[in-house]
Amino acid sequence: MPPAVPARRPGLTHGPAAIDRPTVSFELFPPRTPEATAQLWTTVQRLAAVRPDFISVTYGASGSTRATTRELVRRLLAETSVLPIAHLTCVGATRSELVTVIEEFLDEGVRTFLALRGDPPVGAADWRPHPGGLSRASELVELLREVEAARCGSSASQALRGAAHKLSVAVAAFPTGHPGPGSPAERRGRDLQALLAKQRAGADFAITQVFFDPATYTDLLRDARALGITIPILAGVIPTTDPGRLLRVEELTGVPVPADLLARLLAADDEDERRRVGLRASIDVANAVLDAGAPGLHVYTFNRHRDALALVEGTGLCDAAPDGPSDPIARPHDLEPQGAP
Ligand code: FAD
């Protein structure tokens, strides 16, 4: 039997108005050096060329990237047509310092945020809120709403701007559970309560942590809906092409990389074969969650466009970037589904 060819989905290149196509978005982190800035801008242009729904920009631990996150978000606003989302965390800041940071972003024209608690600093045993700071992401969602309401209340013009261009707040969700004490079931219960609290505080949608098993995403979706969580939960996916990077992700997020995937990547004869194996695995995960009702894909790019675009291309959600050739390793027809004879 010939390998099954994934059905084509209405893709990004069918235009932003394409009816009911899943969303596609990307995550970037702010560059650390001038060389990295130049390189990143090439990546931004290649990602922007497929007309994603948004690009999110991470916020370093302890607010360490406050200036560089803001600069990248400002450039995305000024020099591309892509909607930027600014990540923001509660780490290392008092409430009033957070108000200042939020005001700075709003002054730049940012209207969409990803509100996070953030992780404890490296070496710290557990999470402690900064003195005078916030304890949970739900409190940051509330603060964003409060700051916006105060601005809108300050003048009729601000009220009109706020009404015309509404503030939107995203939050995090965890298919394999947020690391912490207790059994997986206890952690799942806590995470769902946290997500519900974030929705009640005014979150508009959620983006998931990386996961490798599509069932963990669909279980999260089912349990969230059963609890009355109605906001869209966007699937965060990762191109699983680089074993070293996957291990680093495991270390940072606590999400274990499947041993068989790691073994197959390490056994690959060369770089092309490794990409073929890795992309096949991530495209399968992406297709499975889209088929199960995920509203879209949020691709963790690690500031590299090639594999991120190949992953999206492999799901049929975009053709090659207009300024580059189709990636031969990503063409759905060239990739046999895993387990095919
Ligand atoms: P919270 O929602 O506050 O949850 C933290 C813990 O408290 C969880 O264990 C939760 O179960 C528990 N909890 C919270 N509220 C309740 C409640 N009402 N009832 C019971 N338990 C509760 N980190 C960065 O530093 N910078 C970034 O840019 C960044 N981007 C990220 C993007 C995505 C898409 C994701 C998924 C994570 C990102 N992170 C980032 C990591 C994130 O900051 C950490 O995972 C952090 O430990 C948890 O953040 P949170 O917003 O989910 O916190």
Side-chain angles (χ1 to χ4, degrees), residues 117 119-121 123-129:
R117 188 198 68 177
D119 283 319
D126 52 11
W127 162 262
R128 294 265 152 82

Side-chain angles (χ1 to χ4, degrees), residues 5 29 58 68 73 76 100 102 116-120 131 136 196 228 233 268 274 289 303 332:
V5 174
F29 51 80
T58 65
T68 46
V73 169
L76 285 170
T100 305
I102 294 167
L116 302 143
R117 188 198 68 177
D119 283 319
R136 290 178 166 175
L196 186 61
I233 301 177
R274 199 170 358 265
V289 293
N303 288 7

Side-chain angles (χ1 to χ4, degrees), residues 26 47 237-242 245 271 274-276 278-279 282-283 299-314 327 329-330:
F26 300 106
L47 297 176
V237 291
I238 178 177
T240 50
T241 46
D242 179 342
R245 182 178 301 143
E271 181 58 19
R274 199 170 358 265
R275 284 194 75 224
R276 203 181 305 278
L279 283 172
S282 46
I283 290 166
V299 185
Y300 293 105
T301 70
F302 300 91
N303 288 7
R304 300 265 183 274
H305 58 269
R306 187 173 70 147
D307 288 352
L309 289 173
L311 167 51
V312 179
E313 190 183 348
D327 188 328
I329 292 186

Side-chain angles (χ1 to χ4, degrees), residues 32-114:
R32 294 190 188 98
T33 62
E35 298 74 45
T37 303
Q39 223 171 47
L40 179 60
W41 205 247
T42 304
T43 285
V44 166
Q45 285 166 331
R46 293 298 303 276
L47 297 176
V50 301
R51 300 200 275 175
D53 290 83
F54 59 85
I55 290 181
S56 79
V57 181
T58 65
Y59 196 74
S62 317
S64 54
T65 66
R66 175 170 163 180
T68 46
T69 298
R70 193 169 135 210
E71 174 55 19
L72 179 53
V73 169
R74 190 199 61 72
R75 256 193 105 177
L76 285 170
L77 271 173
E79 298 178 36
T80 75
S81 57
V82 180
L83 173 77
I85 296 190
H87 295 206
L88 204 56
T89 75
C90 309
V91 179
T94 61
R95 193 174 191 282
S96 73
E97 284 164 347
L98 283 169
V99 170
T100 305
V101 177
I102 294 167
E103 293 274 9
E104 285 170 1
F105 277 115
L106 291 172
D107 288 345
E108 296 283 6
V110 176
R111 302 299 296 163
T112 315
F113 292 87
L114 176 52

Side-chain angles (χ1 to χ4, degrees), residues 136-336:
R136 290 178 166 175
S138 56
E139 295 172 14
L140 185 54
V141 178
E142 271 166 22
L143 186 61
L144 280 156
R145 294 286 175 207
E146 262 178 59
V147 172
E148 170 68 358
R151 279 167 84 94
C152 289
S154 69
S155 77
S157 315
Q158 288 286 32
L160 181 54
R161 276 193 201 98
H165 207 164
K166 292 219 180 284
L167 190 78
S168 174
V169 183
V171 291
F174 296 84
T176 51
H178 184 263
S183 68
E186 285 166 342
R187 290 195 286 131
R188 167 54 61 91
R190 265 203 314 269
D191 291 352
L192 287 170
Q193 287 304 324
L195 192 52
L196 186 61
K198 291 187 266 199
Q199 173 176 288
R200 286 184 175 145
D204 295 296
F205 65 102
I207 305 179
T208 75
Q209 183 58 283
V210 61
F211 59 93
F212 299 98
D213 177 359
T216 57
Y217 171 83
T218 48
D219 287 355
L220 170 70
L221 212 54
R222 181 202 58 211
D223 294 350
R225 298 299 177 242
L227 198 68
I229 296 166
T230 54
I231 54 175
I233 301 177
L234 179 54
V237 291
I238 178 177
T240 50
T241 46
D242 179 342
R245 182 178 301 143
L246 291 179
L247 289 172
R248 177 90 180 115
V249 166
E250 175 174 313
E251 197 184 323
L252 289 172
T253 63
V255 181
V257 184
D260 67 318
L261 172 62
L262 213 49
R264 281 185 290 124
L265 289 170
L266 292 171
D269 289 336
D270 57 25
E271 181 58 19
D272 273 0
E273 179 57 15
R274 199 170 358 265
R275 284 194 75 224
R276 203 181 305 278
V277 168
L279 283 172
R280 174 71 270 162
S282 46
I283 290 166
D284 282 349
V285 170
N287 277 326
V289 293
L290 288 172
D291 290 346
L297 301 176
H298 185 61
V299 185
Y300 293 105
T301 70
F302 300 91
N303 288 7
R304 300 265 183 274
H305 58 269
R306 187 173 70 147
D307 288 352
L309 289 173
L311 167 51
V312 179
E313 190 183 348
T315 63
L317 279 176
C318 80
D319 295 324
D323 60 341
S326 180
D327 188 328
I329 292 186
R331 278 200 297 265
H333 312 269
D334 295 344
L335 288 167
E336 291 182 13

